[in-house]
Structure formats: structure tokens, C-alpha cells
Amino acid sequence: MVKKILTWGSIAFLVFFVAYRPESAAQVAKSIGSGLADLADGFTNFFTSLVS
């Protein structure tokens, strides 16, 4: 029951955040995407170093 409430609360917060602060929401999404790209690059470099 708690998991369901937290899930719907999170979805409601995301909708509210995007609706009332679209610039901030876009910046957060850009930061998350950049972080994921850096993480993928790090893994790539790691596995390349292992193979070489």
C-alpha cells in the first residue's frame, strides 16, 4: 500500500514540476542525461582498458 502511494505521489510531483517549472525540469533532465552519458563513457573506458 505504501509503495503504491509513493509511486502515485512521485508521478504527481513530476507532473506538477514539469507543469509549473518547465525550465527547471528541463535542466534536471539535461543534468541526469549528462550524468548517464558520463557513466556510460566511464564504463566504456574501463572495459576498453581491460581488453587492451
Side-chain angles (χ1 to χ4, degrees):
M1 182 69 177
V2 173
K3 183 178 177 182
K4 191 174 188 179
I5 292 171
L6 290 175
T7 300
W8 282 108
S10 298
I11 291 170
F13 175 74
L14 287 173
V15 170
F16 175 81
F17 189 56
V18 170
Y20 288 99
R21 298 272 189 173
E23 296 87 9
S24 297
Q27 187 62 37
V28 168
K30 185 177 178 182
S31 296
I32 290 171
S34 177
L36 290 174
D38 290 342
L39 182 68
D41 188 45
F43 276 116
T44 302
N45 290 337
F46 172 73
F47 286 116
T48 301
S49 296
L50 286 177
V51 174
S52 297

